[in-house]
Amino acid sequence: MSPTEKGKFCSSCQKNVIDFTKSSDREIILAFKKEEKLCGRFRISQLDREMIIPKEKKSIWIVAAASLIAFLGLGNQTAKAQGKIKIEQTENKQINDSKSSNKKLKIYTGIVYDEQNFPLPSVNVNNKRKNSTTYTNFDGTFSIMAKKGDVLTFTFLDYDQVKFKVMDETNIQIILKSNDNSNITDVVVGYPSIIKPAKK
Protein backbone atom coordinates (compact mmCIF):
# COMPACT_ATOMS: atom_id res chain seq x y z
CA MET A 1 0.00 0.00 0.00
CA SER A 2 1.47 3.36 -1.01
CA PRO A 3 1.57 6.37 1.37
CA THR A 4 -1.24 7.97 -0.70
CA GLU A 5 -3.49 4.96 -0.13
CA LYS A 6 -2.69 5.04 3.59
CA GLY A 7 -3.72 8.69 3.83
CA LYS A 8 -0.19 10.16 3.86
CA PHE A 9 -0.75 12.71 1.16
CA CYS A 10 -0.34 16.48 1.37
CA SER A 11 -3.42 18.17 -0.07
CA SER A 12 -1.77 21.61 -0.28
CA CYS A 13 1.25 20.56 -2.39
CA GLN A 14 -0.33 17.47 -3.96
CA LYS A 15 2.62 15.19 -3.07
CA ASN A 16 3.14 12.07 -1.03
CA VAL A 17 4.32 12.76 2.50
CA ILE A 18 7.63 11.09 3.46
CA ASP A 19 8.23 10.30 7.12
CA PHE A 20 11.69 11.63 8.10
CA THR A 21 11.21 11.42 11.89
CA LYS A 22 13.56 8.43 12.20
CA SER A 23 15.93 9.37 9.37
CA SER A 24 19.48 10.62 9.73
CA ASP A 25 20.75 13.83 8.14
CA ARG A 26 22.47 11.78 5.43
CA GLU A 27 19.20 9.99 4.52
CA ILE A 28 17.30 13.27 4.36
CA ILE A 29 19.89 14.81 2.03
CA LEU A 30 19.95 11.72 -0.22
CA ALA A 31 16.15 11.86 -0.52
CA PHE A 32 16.34 15.62 -1.29
CA LYS A 33 18.94 14.98 -4.04
CA LYS A 34 16.61 12.48 -5.72
CA GLU A 35 13.64 14.83 -5.71
CA GLU A 36 13.98 18.48 -4.78
CA LYS A 37 10.32 19.18 -4.14
CA LEU A 38 9.47 17.03 -1.19
CA CYS A 39 6.77 17.11 1.41
CA GLY A 40 7.83 15.45 4.62
CA ARG A 41 7.11 14.89 8.26
CA PHE A 42 9.90 15.90 10.71
CA ARG A 43 10.55 16.02 14.43
CA ILE A 44 10.84 19.45 16.02
CA SER A 45 14.54 18.82 16.76
CA GLN A 46 15.17 18.28 13.03
CA LEU A 47 13.81 21.70 12.01
CA ASP A 48 15.57 25.09 11.84
CA ARG A 49 19.13 23.83 12.11
CA GLU A 50 22.11 23.18 9.90
CA MET A 51 22.40 19.65 8.60
CA ILE A 52 25.56 17.82 9.54
CA ILE A 53 26.83 15.19 7.18
CA PRO A 54 29.82 13.19 8.40
CA LYS A 55 32.41 12.54 5.75
CA GLU A 56 32.54 8.98 4.56
CA LYS A 57 35.81 7.25 5.11
CA LYS A 58 36.94 5.32 2.13
CA SER A 59 37.20 1.64 2.90
CA ILE A 60 40.58 1.37 1.16
CA TRP A 61 42.16 3.54 3.88
CA ILE A 62 40.70 1.36 6.63
CA VAL A 63 42.06 -1.79 4.99
CA ALA A 64 45.47 -0.16 4.47
CA ALA A 65 45.67 1.01 8.09
CA ALA A 66 44.68 -2.42 9.44
CA SER A 67 47.25 -4.13 7.22
CA LEU A 68 50.01 -1.75 8.33
CA ILE A 69 49.23 -2.27 12.03
CA ALA A 70 49.16 -6.05 11.56
CA PHE A 71 52.48 -5.98 9.67
CA LEU A 72 54.19 -3.85 12.34
CA GLY A 73 52.91 -6.16 15.06
CA LEU A 74 54.62 -9.21 13.57
CA GLY A 75 57.87 -10.28 15.15
CA ASN A 76 57.70 -8.05 18.23
CA GLN A 77 56.78 -10.83 20.63
CA THR A 78 59.54 -11.66 23.08
CA ALA A 79 59.40 -14.08 25.97
CA LYS A 80 60.53 -12.55 29.22
CA ALA A 81 61.03 -14.62 32.34
CA GLN A 82 63.01 -14.44 35.54
CA GLY A 83 65.20 -17.32 34.56
CA LYS A 84 65.89 -19.66 31.71
CA ILE A 85 62.72 -20.73 29.91
CA LYS A 86 61.80 -24.36 30.53
CA ILE A 87 59.43 -26.20 28.26
CA GLU A 88 57.65 -29.11 29.86
CA GLN A 89 55.07 -31.49 28.43
CA THR A 90 52.73 -32.65 31.18
CA GLU A 91 49.78 -34.14 29.30
CA ASN A 92 51.40 -37.54 28.57
CA LYS A 93 52.66 -37.78 32.12
CA GLN A 94 49.15 -37.24 33.49
CA ILE A 95 47.67 -39.74 31.04
CA ASN A 96 50.26 -42.37 31.99
CA ASP A 97 49.59 -41.80 35.71
CA SER A 98 45.86 -42.26 35.26
CA LYS A 99 46.38 -45.38 33.13
CA SER A 100 48.69 -46.96 35.68
CA SER A 101 46.32 -46.18 38.57
CA ASN A 102 43.37 -47.60 36.62
CA LYS A 103 45.36 -50.76 35.83
CA LYS A 104 45.79 -51.45 39.53
CA LEU A 105 42.05 -51.18 40.25
CA LYS A 106 40.11 -54.44 39.99
CA ILE A 107 36.57 -55.52 40.66
CA TYR A 108 36.49 -57.71 43.75
CA THR A 109 33.43 -59.87 44.30
CA GLY A 110 32.39 -62.10 47.13
CA ILE A 111 29.75 -63.43 49.49
CA VAL A 112 29.11 -62.53 53.13
CA TYR A 113 27.84 -65.33 55.41
CA ASP A 114 26.74 -65.55 59.03
CA GLU A 115 28.03 -68.22 61.46
CA GLN A 116 25.53 -70.81 60.17
CA ASN A 117 26.70 -70.26 56.53
CA PHE A 118 23.54 -68.37 55.54
CA PRO A 119 24.12 -65.43 53.15
CA LEU A 120 23.57 -62.02 54.74
CA PRO A 121 21.74 -59.36 52.68
CA SER A 122 22.28 -55.59 53.11
CA VAL A 123 25.77 -55.84 54.64
CA ASN A 124 27.67 -52.55 54.28
CA VAL A 125 30.94 -53.03 52.31
CA ASN A 126 33.21 -49.97 52.45
CA ASN A 127 36.54 -49.21 50.75
CA LYS A 128 37.87 -46.30 52.83
CA ARG A 129 40.79 -45.41 50.53
CA LYS A 130 38.58 -45.17 47.44
CA ASN A 131 35.73 -43.69 49.51
CA SER A 132 33.22 -46.09 47.96
CA THR A 133 30.48 -48.09 49.60
CA THR A 134 28.25 -50.91 48.40
CA TYR A 135 25.81 -53.37 49.96
CA THR A 136 25.32 -57.10 49.58
CA ASN A 137 22.25 -58.20 47.67
CA PHE A 138 19.62 -60.74 48.73
CA ASP A 139 22.06 -63.64 48.10
CA GLY A 140 24.79 -61.97 50.18
CA THR A 141 26.95 -61.20 47.11
CA PHE A 142 28.76 -57.93 46.47
CA SER A 143 31.22 -56.35 44.03
CA ILE A 144 33.45 -53.33 44.67
CA MET A 145 36.38 -51.57 42.94
CA ALA A 146 39.63 -51.81 44.91
CA LYS A 147 43.33 -52.42 44.46
CA LYS A 148 45.81 -54.61 46.22
CA GLY A 149 46.44 -53.39 49.77
CA ASP A 150 43.06 -51.67 50.24
CA VAL A 151 41.11 -52.53 53.38
CA LEU A 152 37.44 -53.45 52.99
CA THR A 153 35.22 -53.00 56.04
CA PHE A 154 32.12 -55.18 56.47
CA THR A 155 29.45 -54.00 58.95
CA PHE A 156 25.97 -55.25 59.75
CA LEU A 157 23.54 -54.79 62.64
CA ASP A 158 24.15 -57.09 65.65
CA TYR A 159 27.34 -58.49 64.02
CA ASP A 160 31.00 -57.74 64.71
CA GLN A 161 32.75 -55.52 62.18
CA VAL A 162 35.26 -57.34 59.94
CA LYS A 163 38.19 -55.68 58.15
CA PHE A 164 39.66 -57.51 55.16
CA LYS A 165 42.91 -56.55 53.39
CA VAL A 166 42.64 -57.04 49.63
CA MET A 167 45.30 -59.27 48.05
CA ASP A 168 45.52 -61.04 44.69
CA GLU A 169 42.38 -63.16 45.17
CA THR A 170 39.40 -61.41 43.52
CA ASN A 171 36.73 -63.75 44.97
CA ILE A 172 36.25 -63.06 48.69
CA GLN A 173 34.27 -64.98 51.31
CA ILE A 174 33.54 -63.26 54.62
CA ILE A 175 31.92 -64.72 57.75
CA LEU A 176 30.39 -62.26 60.21
CA LYS A 177 30.00 -63.30 63.84
CA SER A 178 27.02 -62.09 65.79
CA ASN A 179 27.48 -59.88 68.84
CA ASP A 180 26.94 -61.73 72.13
CA ASN A 181 24.19 -59.56 73.52
CA SER A 182 22.45 -62.32 75.45
CA ASN A 183 21.54 -59.94 78.27
CA ILE A 184 19.12 -58.14 75.96
CA THR A 185 16.28 -60.66 76.02
CA ASP A 186 13.32 -58.71 77.31
CA VAL A 187 11.32 -56.74 74.79
CA VAL A 188 8.98 -54.13 76.20
CA VAL A 189 6.11 -52.99 74.03
CA GLY A 190 4.08 -50.02 75.17
CA TYR A 191 0.83 -48.69 73.85
CA PRO A 192 -1.51 -46.00 75.09
CA SER A 193 -4.75 -46.79 76.85
CA ILE A 194 -7.91 -44.82 76.26
CA ILE A 195 -9.89 -43.75 79.32
CA LYS A 196 -13.45 -42.73 78.70
CA PRO A 197 -15.00 -40.21 81.04
CA ALA A 198 -17.82 -41.51 83.24
CA LYS A 199 -21.34 -40.53 82.30
CA LYS A 200 -23.26 -38.39 84.78
Side-chain angles (χ1 to χ4, degrees):
M1 203 179 249
S2 74
T4 305
E5 292 168 353
K6 289 182 181 178
K8 295 181 180 177
F9 185 77
C10 181
S11 59
S12 62
C13 64
Q14 298 296 315
K15 295 182 184 169
N16 288 337
V17 177
I18 299 172
D19 187 11
F20 290 115
T21 56
K22 295 182 180 177
S23 300
S24 66
D25 287 351
R26 180 184 307 279
E27 292 169 340
I28 294 171
I29 290 177
L30 287 175
F32 183 73
K33 285 182 181 177
K34 284 182 186 176
E35 188 179 341
E36 287 189 20
K37 294 184 179 181
L38 292 177
C39 188
R41 183 174 156 217
F42 296 91
R43 289 188 315 245
I44 294 175
S45 62
Q46 290 175 315
L47 300 174
D48 296 328
R49 64 177 181 87
E50 290 187 25
M51 305 213 47
I52 301 170
I53 303 172
K55 292 183 181 178
E56 288 185 24
K57 297 178 182 175
K58 294 185 179 179
S59 60
I60 188 102
W61 289 109
I62 295 172
V63 172
S67 300
L68 181 65
I69 291 170
F71 179 73
L72 292 175
L74 292 176
N76 282 345
Q77 292 81 16
T78 56
K80 295 181 180 179
Q82 293 177 352
K84 190 175 181 183
I85 299 172
K86 296 178 184 178
I87 299 173
E88 199 175 292
Q89 186 175 2
T90 59
E91 290 178 7
N92 288 340
K93 185 178 181 183
Q94 291 172 351
I95 291 170
N96 290 337
D97 288 345
S98 65
K99 283 182 183 177
S100 64
S101 66
N102 285 339
K103 286 181 183 177
K104 294 176 185 177
L105 282 175
K106 292 182 184 178
I107 297 176
Y108 288 86
T109 59
I111 302 176
V112 179
Y113 296 103
D114 66 1
E115 294 170 308
Q116 285 82 31
N117 271 350
F118 290 116
L120 285 174
S122 301
V123 175
N124 185 332
V125 183
N126 185 12
N127 182 352
K128 190 172 185 179
R129 185 202 62 81
K130 186 116 172 59
N131 198 17
S132 64
T133 301
T134 188
Y135 296 92
T136 58
N137 63 10
F138 182 74
D139 299 327
T141 60
F142 69 93
S143 64
I144 190 165
M145 294 287 290
K147 64 181 182 179
K148 188 176 178 179
D150 286 353
V151 176
L152 302 180
T153 306
F154 298 86
T155 54
F156 192 60
L157 293 175
D158 296 332
Y159 285 85
D160 291 332
Q161 178 177 318
V162 173
K163 292 190 177 190
F164 179 81
K165 187 171 185 178
V166 175
M167 300 308 274
D168 293 326
E169 182 65 36
T170 57
N171 194 8
I172 303 168
Q173 292 187 1
I174 302 293
I175 297 175
L176 293 182
K177 294 181 181 179
S178 65
N179 292 336
D180 188 18
N181 291 333
S182 58
N183 57 353
I184 305 176
T185 56
D186 297 329
V187 177
V188 178
V189 177
Y191 54 91
S193 61
I194 300 173
I195 302 173
K196 294 182 180 180
K199 292 183 181 180
K200 294 184 182 181

